[in-house]
Amino acid sequence: MTDGARRRRAADFAVRLALRSFQVAAIAEGGLLPAIFIVALIHWVSGRAAMAVAVIGASHGVVFSVYLLLTPCVARLLGWRWRRLSVAASVAVVPFATWVFERQIRGELDRCVEQHRARREGA
C-alpha cells in the first residue's frame, strides 16, 4: 500500500468516525437533556437522587461538548451554510430536538459515509 493510499484510507476513516460520532452524540444529547431535568426535579422535590443528578449532569456535559465540537466538522463535511450550522448548534439546548434534527439529516450523513466507503474501496 502506498503512502498516499494510506493517507486517503486514514482520512476516510476519520470522516466516517466524525459523522457516526455526531449521530451518537445527537441521540445521546436528545435523551440526556430531559433526563437531567427530570432527575433534578426529583432531587429538588424529594431531596434525593443527588448522585443521579451528578452522574447524569456530568454525562450531559460531556455529550453536549462533543456534540458542539463535532457540529462544525460535520457542517464542513456536508457543505452546510452558516444558517444550517447555527440550527444544528442551537437544537442542543432543546429537549429531544437533536433527535429530530439527526433524523432530518440522516440521509445526508449516510450518503457522505457511503461516498467515502466507495472511494476507499475504489482506491
Side-chain angles (χ1 to χ4, degrees):
M1 181 180 288
T2 67
D3 199 34
R6 241 178 276 174
R7 277 192 217 130
R8 277 193 309 277
R9 189 173 179 180
D12 289 343
F13 176 75
V15 166
R16 289 190 325 272
L17 180 65
L19 294 172
R20 293 304 183 207
S21 297
F22 179 80
Q23 281 185 293
V24 169
I27 292 167
E29 173 61 20
L32 283 172
L33 185 57
I36 196 166
F37 288 150
I38 292 167
V39 173
L41 180 64
I42 292 169
H43 175 66
W44 182 68
V45 170
S46 70
R48 298 173 193 235
M51 180 61 80
V53 170
V55 170
I56 293 175
S59 301
H60 171 263
V62 168
V63 171
F64 180 79
S65 299
V66 168
Y67 178 83
L68 287 181
L69 288 171
L70 285 173
T71 299
C73 299
V74 170
R76 178 149 184 166
L77 288 170
L78 298 179
W80 290 347
R81 302 215 184 277
W82 281 104
R83 183 175 177 185
R84 188 98 185 253
L85 173 62
S86 65
V87 168
S90 59
V91 297
V93 297
V94 178
F96 305 111
T98 55
W99 287 356
V100 174
F101 184 75
E102 186 274 334
R103 184 75 177 153
Q104 288 176 348
I105 65 164
R106 185 174 292 172
E108 287 180 68
L109 295 170
D110 291 342
R111 275 191 300 279
C112 191
V113 167
E114 287 304 318
Q115 287 172 350
H116 282 275
R117 182 174 291 138
R119 190 177 309 155
R120 183 189 73 217
E121 292 170 357

